[in-house]
């Protein structure tokens, strides 16, 4: 998960003269204002209504992780990143490009692709999922969920970004701009909102209805829509999907609260998370799901664009049948 914690850390870095003070303050003020707007929209017309207790508990946990990461890892969140930009200034793979606009655009595209690849790796490798699952443990998805990041994941993410800054030769102003824009989108696509033309916008950008599926309890669903800003990478690399999740969060529920979430990052629940349909063998289950999905596609005349939706609905129906047989 890319790190929205840099929202406050960039200001700290700016005040320590790692970058221009006014630039850091302006970016942070804009992000704080955008965060407030999203919270207001959630309160006025939420996509899904949470009780005040559920919302408060979620926000309290997310805020405590954000504050802890901002204080304890402030050097790695901003200082080291901007120090890397100092070292890389005028060097790197993009140094031959004279146009600052083109250089910045290419750097932005690379960092967005890097986020996609890193995010996908955090789901694929159990050692990374161990910490990334803390982000997915929020059962009440809202804007503040963007800040629910385990400290170890945050550290690894920033070290990875520092390597890219050195490799490309990205200057400090561009680093701050990329962090600000990415943070804006990360907050946006976690927001508990819906709006007209969202699906049209989703053809280019990651929007809330796409990212909600990514927070599904079902493994097949939350291993989709990994992007931060552009949905391009998901569509090109075959991980894009459009469906409405039945439930948000994790099957192995964690206790709310700051310390509980820090400890949860060191608890291996991978085996439990993968055991979705325990009655029959994996092969027989997949065969039944495939057959059910085929008949759904046949019923709608094999029109394009709904293949994943057919599969998800078929898997849910098969799962419910097994649960009923087990008396659950």
């Amino acid at each position: 998960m890319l790190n929205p914690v840099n929202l406050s850390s960039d200001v700290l870095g700016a005040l320590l003269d790692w970058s221009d003070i006014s630039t850091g303050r302006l970016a942070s003020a804009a992000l704080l204002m955008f965060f407030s707007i999203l919270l207001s929209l959630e309160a006025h017309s939420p996509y899904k209504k949470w009780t005040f207790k559920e919302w408060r508990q979620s926000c309290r946990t997310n805020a405590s992780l954000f504050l802890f990461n901002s204080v304890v890892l402030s050097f790695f969140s901003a200082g080291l990143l901007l120090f890397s930009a100092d070292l890389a200034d005028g060097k790197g793979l993009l140094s031959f490009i004279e146009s600052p606009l083109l250089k910045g655009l290419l750097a932005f595209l690379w960092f967005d692709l890097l986020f996609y690849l890193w995010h996908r790796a955090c789901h694929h490798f159990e050692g990374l999922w161990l910490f990334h699952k803390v982000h997915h443990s929020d059962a009440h998805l809202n804007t503040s969920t963007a800040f629910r990041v385990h400290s170890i994941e945050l550290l690894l993410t920033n070290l990875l970004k520092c390597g890219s800054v050195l490799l490309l030769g990205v200057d400090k102003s561009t680093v701050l701009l990329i962090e600000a824009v990415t943070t804006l989108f990360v907050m946006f696509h976690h927001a508990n909102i819906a709006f007209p033309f969202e699906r049209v916008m989703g053809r280019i950008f990651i929007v809330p209805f796409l990212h909600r599926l990514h927070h599904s309890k079902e493994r097949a669903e939350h291993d989709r829509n990994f992007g931060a800003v552009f949905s391009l990478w998901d569509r090109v690399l075959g991980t894009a999907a459009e469906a409405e999740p039945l439930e948000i969060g994790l099957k192995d529920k964690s206790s709310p609260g700051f310390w509980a979430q820090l400890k949860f990052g060191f608890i291996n629940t991978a085996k439990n998370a993968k055991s979705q349909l325990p009655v029959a063998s994996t092969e027989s289950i997949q065969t039944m799901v495939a057959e059910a999905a085929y008949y759904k596609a046949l019923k709608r005349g094999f029109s394009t664009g709904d293949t994943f939706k057919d599969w998800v609905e078929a898997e849910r129906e098969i799962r419910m049948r097994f649960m009923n047989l087990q008396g659950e």
Side-chain angles (χ1 to χ4, degrees):
M1 178 69 196
L2 193 68
N3 153 40
V5 170
N6 285 349
L7 169 63
S8 66
S9 301
D10 287 341
V11 177
L12 178 60
L15 293 174
L16 292 174
D17 290 331
W18 289 116
S19 185
D20 179 70
I21 293 177
S22 61
T23 302
R25 285 179 175 172
L26 180 62
S28 296
L31 288 170
L32 182 60
M33 181 176 67
F34 188 73
F35 179 76
S36 301
I37 292 172
L38 288 175
L39 285 181
S40 298
L41 289 173
E42 287 182 332
H44 183 264
S45 54
Y47 175 78
K48 187 167 185 178
K49 292 184 178 180
W50 309 118
T51 66
F52 179 73
K53 181 181 179 181
E54 291 170 334
W55 178 84
R56 182 183 62 183
Q57 189 177 74
S58 171
C59 289
R60 182 183 296 172
T61 300
N62 300 337
S64 62
L65 279 168
F66 167 71
L67 292 173
F68 177 81
N69 288 335
S70 297
V71 173
V72 175
L73 296 178
S74 59
F75 176 72
F76 289 100
S77 294
L80 188 58
L81 193 59
L82 296 176
F83 177 68
S84 299
D86 259 340
L87 292 177
D89 197 10
K91 307 171 187 176
L93 298 179
L94 298 181
S95 60
F96 69 94
I97 300 177
E98 295 183 2
S99 169
L101 182 61
L102 179 58
K103 185 184 294 187
L105 178 60
L106 291 175
F108 185 85
L109 288 173
W110 165 251
F111 273 91
D112 197 49
L113 175 59
L114 177 69
F115 170 87
Y116 169 88
L117 296 173
W118 172 245
H119 195 176
R120 191 169 178 177
C122 285
H123 281 243
H124 182 74
F125 298 103
E126 290 188 5
L128 296 176
W129 172 252
L130 196 66
F131 304 107
H132 184 62
K133 72 179 187 295
V134 169
H135 177 68
H136 282 261
S137 66
D138 196 345
H140 308 103
L141 195 66
N142 64 87
T143 305
S144 73
T145 308
F147 300 92
R148 196 186 191 102
V149 184
H150 195 279
S151 304
I152 300 299
E153 182 185 356
L154 173 60
L155 174 61
L156 294 175
T157 301
N158 277 285
L159 289 175
L160 186 64
K161 288 192 290 185
C162 285
S164 285
V165 169
L166 293 170
L167 177 67
L168 298 180
V170 185
D171 62 85
K172 291 185 290 186
S173 297
T174 303
V175 168
L176 281 172
L177 181 61
I178 291 173
E179 286 292 296
V181 173
T182 305
T183 300
L184 184 151
F185 271 90
V186 170
M187 290 191 298
F188 166 63
H189 65 230
H190 283 94
N192 182 29
I193 58 174
F195 53 90
F197 308 111
E198 186 178 4
R199 292 180 181 270
V200 175
M201 185 179 177
R203 298 194 177 280
I204 301 175
F205 301 107
I206 296 292
V207 292
F209 98 91
L210 288 176
H211 201 70
R212 269 194 298 273
L213 184 70
H214 180 76
H215 279 262
S216 170
K217 279 189 177 182
E218 301 303 326
R219 184 69 182 265
E221 296 177 12
H222 79 216
D223 285 349
R224 297 279 180 162
N225 302 339
F226 294 103
V229 177
F230 296 111
S231 60
L232 165 70
W233 316 118
D234 283 291
R235 298 188 187 282
V236 171
L237 298 175
T239 53
E242 298 182 7
E244 189 61 37
L246 289 179
E247 292 184 274
I248 298 295
L250 295 175
K251 292 187 175 182
D252 294 283
K253 294 182 179 180
S254 62
S255 301
F258 166 68
W259 288 113
Q261 288 300 304
L262 276 187
K263 289 188 291 184
F264 186 55
F266 295 96
I267 299 173
N268 190 350
T269 62
K271 291 183 179 180
N272 293 332
K274 291 180 180 178
S275 59
Q276 295 179 2
L277 297 172
V279 175
S281 67
T282 302
E283 291 78 10
S284 63
I285 290 169
Q286 291 302 315
T287 299
M288 286 185 280
V289 171
E291 289 177 352
Y294 172 82
Y295 284 113
K296 286 182 178 294
L298 178 64
K299 188 175 181 180
R300 60 176 173 78
F302 295 101
S303 58
T304 59
D306 292 322
T307 305
F308 179 77
K309 184 178 179 182
D310 291 336
W311 187 275
V312 168
E313 290 179 353
E315 188 175 38
R316 287 173 180 168
E317 290 173 3
I318 297 298
R319 182 178 296 107
M320 290 302 297
R321 290 177 188 175
F322 278 105
M323 289 175 66
N324 291 335
L325 287 173
Q326 290 179 312
E328 297 181 12

